[in-house]
Amino acid sequence: CTSLETFEIPDCVTVLGQEAFEFCANLESIKIGTGITKLPRCVFAGCKKLKSVVIPESVEMLEYGVFLHCHSLESVTIPSGIKRIYNDAFRYNYNLQEIVSHIPGDRLFTVWDFVFDYVDKEQCTLYVPEDSKNIYSLTRGWSAFSNIVEKQLDTKVEQVLPVEDAQGLYYD
């Protein structure tokens, strides 16, 4: 998996195999289709050039190590429907600059410390829905971030591939 730079998972795909894209060394852009409800164990682990990920609203679970060792990852958008994030999901993502969480305060859940282990929580900004900063700052795992900022977030997370990446693989 050394030549794959961009990939679009079509909406008709409902299951991804564990480690399906693991160590795709040159993968920079991924669009996850709306048929996916969980991201399995280590599915994007070791994708060292992946820069930004928008997890679609359909996804409810991030299993162990989903984005483990994605050293170039700078931005992640987490949808409101996420119900569980397993350990090491974002571990060793040293360059993560922003996490946009759409999870409303009344549905926020605890995440273990290893979920964001080795993410620079002093530099990374955690954007959260309006009126939820207090609950995030009191909830284990999320409270470790120094910069928690309330932001008016769209209710629906949308994914758009950058124009230069729009040459990826498409399916009818």
Side-chain angles (χ1 to χ4, degrees):
C1 187
T2 57
S3 62
L4 189 63
E5 293 178 8
T6 184
F7 194 79
E8 180 176 343
I9 299 166
D11 292 342
C12 63
V13 173
T14 57
V15 176
L16 292 175
Q18 291 183 6
E19 305 164 358
F21 294 91
E22 187 177 33
F23 300 118
C24 285
N26 292 309
L27 185 64
E28 294 179 14
S29 174
I30 186 80
K31 183 177 180 208
I32 302 165
T34 59
I36 301 297
T37 58
K38 79 173 180 179
L39 295 180
R41 181 183 184 276
C42 296
V43 69
F44 298 110
C47 294
K48 295 184 178 187
K49 289 190 177 180
L50 193 60
K51 295 183 192 301
S52 177
V53 174
V54 176
I55 301 166
E57 284 294 328
S58 58
V59 174
E60 297 178 349
M61 183 184 312
L62 303 180
E63 289 192 351
Y64 170 85
V66 173
F67 298 104
L68 178 70
H69 286 289
C70 292
H71 299 163
S72 296
L73 194 60
E74 296 175 355
S75 175
V76 173
T77 300
I78 300 171
S80 61
I82 288 282
K83 296 176 182 168
R84 178 119 192 231
I85 302 175
Y86 284 84
N87 270 345
D88 296 348
F90 300 101
R91 192 173 198 187
Y92 298 115
N93 290 315
Y94 311 112
N95 292 308
L96 197 55
Q97 298 297 307
E98 72 172 18
I99 299 169
V100 180
S101 175
H102 288 259
I103 304 168
D106 63 345
R107 290 205 331 246
L108 190 64
F109 50 88
T110 296
V111 294
W112 294 104
D113 298 331
F114 292 126
V115 168
F116 298 110
D117 202 21
Y118 294 98
V119 169
D120 186 343
K121 294 164 202 74
E122 299 288 323
Q123 296 292 344
C124 183
T125 302
L126 174 59
Y127 293 99
V128 301
E130 289 179 317
D131 300 322
S132 65
K133 179 179 179 177
N134 189 48
I135 190 72
Y136 273 84
S137 66
L138 296 172
T139 304
R140 182 179 179 154
W142 305 100
S143 63
F145 288 89
S146 298
N147 303 312
I148 301 175
V149 177
E150 288 183 346
K151 184 176 181 181
Q152 183 174 2
L153 301 173
D154 294 333
T155 56
K156 183 177 180 190
V157 175
E158 292 189 30
Q159 299 185 76
V160 178
L161 280 176
V163 173
E164 63 270 17
D165 289 339
Q167 302 165 22
L169 302 175
Y170 294 91
Y171 300 86
D172 290 344

